[in-house]
Amino acid sequence: MRPVIGIVPLYDEEKQSYWMLPGYMQALEACLSIPVMLPLTQDKTELLYFIRECDGLLLPGGQDVDPALYGEARSDKCGVPCPARDTMEGILLDAAIRLDKPVLAICRGLQFLNAHTGGTLYQDLASEHPGVAHEMKPPYDRPVHRVTIERESPLYEIVGEQDYAVNSYHHQAVKDLSPILCAAATSEDGLVEAAWMPGKHFILGVQWHPEFAYKTDPASMRLFEAFVKAAKYP
């Protein structure tokens, strides 16, 4: 049986549409799983049904996380959040943690994972934490800076090396790490670029974009494979 992976939808406010970047689904399909884009809803009963039926949960990129989640007012450099998605992801993530379902969080996904579990975010890196370039131009399947991976983290087992080059497209990032997460990778300018939750089967977030690089970077593909394996063998 192929494991079913629920993916939180991306939302286009201007077009009032739900959508999905193909890389998320194609990478999961390449790992012999069945990706399913969930409907954008705040209905707790529906969401608990989805998380029970799915074998894993993927939190993708998207809008900025509402700073209210970590007790801050929204700055003029913070993007417009999607409150419905914040609520939806909070319900799904709480249930996934409780049921010990595998979670892979990418870009905004890592930011939400951190904010929802007690951490804070930089609302705008360029003004609050200038350093290496984190908003690259296309093509997105090439590395633009390096990260150092913690040997004690599950990410090291996946990537297989401490010094790893990643792509990068984000203007927010982890500021204060959640007390229930551990850093898995750090960028050259000191940002937490990956984090994981000890004591759980597989809860891991990365700031870079393996969905753009899985065809050209073997480690990106191994990340999806490890996630799908965790979903298949709970």
Side-chain angles (χ1 to χ4, degrees):
M1 295 289 290
R2 294 186 177 191
V4 176
I5 307 297
I7 309 178
V8 175
L10 306 179
Y11 178 65
D12 188 316
E13 184 176 29
E14 183 178 334
K15 296 180 180 178
Q16 293 189 328
S17 65
Y18 309 152
W19 64 288
M20 183 56 54
L21 285 165
Y24 295 114
M25 289 192 160
Q26 290 170 351
L28 290 170
E29 287 173 329
C31 297
L32 302 181
S33 68
I34 302 173
V36 177
M37 188 179 83
L38 304 178
L40 184 66
T41 178
Q42 300 174 71
D43 187 303
K44 188 172 184 179
T45 300
E46 288 185 18
L47 292 171
L48 293 179
Y49 167 80
F50 291 134
I51 199 66
R52 285 193 297 266
E53 292 299 311
C54 290
D55 300 296
L57 175 67
L58 192 149
L59 303 180
Q63 286 96 340
D64 288 349
V65 175
D66 191 340
L69 268 66
Y70 47 95
E72 292 186 10
R74 184 157 61 96
S75 77
D76 58 359
K77 294 183 178 179
C78 180
V80 177
C82 180
R85 183 173 166 187
D86 288 342
T87 300
M88 175 181 180
E89 288 190 337
I91 295 170
L92 288 171
L93 183 56
D94 286 342
I97 293 171
R98 184 176 67 254
L99 297 171
D100 203 9
K101 296 269 186 170
V103 177
L104 177 59
I106 295 174
C107 194
R108 172 210 146 90
L110 169 62
Q111 295 162 15
F112 184 85
L113 171 64
N114 184 63
H116 187 70
T117 57
T120 66
L121 304 177
Y122 290 108
Q123 293 192 41
D124 179 66
L125 279 177
S127 59
E128 297 178 47
H129 188 91
V132 301
H134 290 282
E135 291 191 76
M136 67 185 293
K137 303 295 183 183
Y140 297 117
D141 64 345
R142 58 191 172 87
V144 292
H145 71 76
R146 310 193 76 82
V147 299
T148 300
I149 297 177
E150 299 293 334
R151 284 186 175 271
E152 309 80 38
S153 75
L155 185 62
Y156 179 78
E157 297 178 16
I158 295 167
V159 175
E161 55 186 314
Q162 275 196 291
D163 184 39
Y164 177 51
V166 300
N167 57 10
S168 189
Y169 187 72
H170 61 105
H171 88 106
Q172 297 196 322
V174 172
K175 183 178 181 181
D176 298 305
L177 187 63
S178 160
I180 65 171
L181 298 178
C182 289
T186 307
S187 64
E188 296 163 286
D189 52 3
L191 289 176
V192 172
E193 286 265 339
W196 63 291
M197 188 177 295
K200 293 299 177 181
H201 184 43
F202 186 105
I203 296 182
L204 175 64
V206 298
Q207 186 59 70
W208 57 89
H209 289 272
E211 78 279 9
F212 287 129
Y214 76 96
K215 291 182 179 179
T216 57
D217 174 40
S220 290
M221 188 62 182
R222 290 197 299 272
L223 178 58
F224 283 107
E225 290 172 341
F227 172 50
V228 170
K229 181 179 179 181
K232 188 174 183 179
Y233 302 106

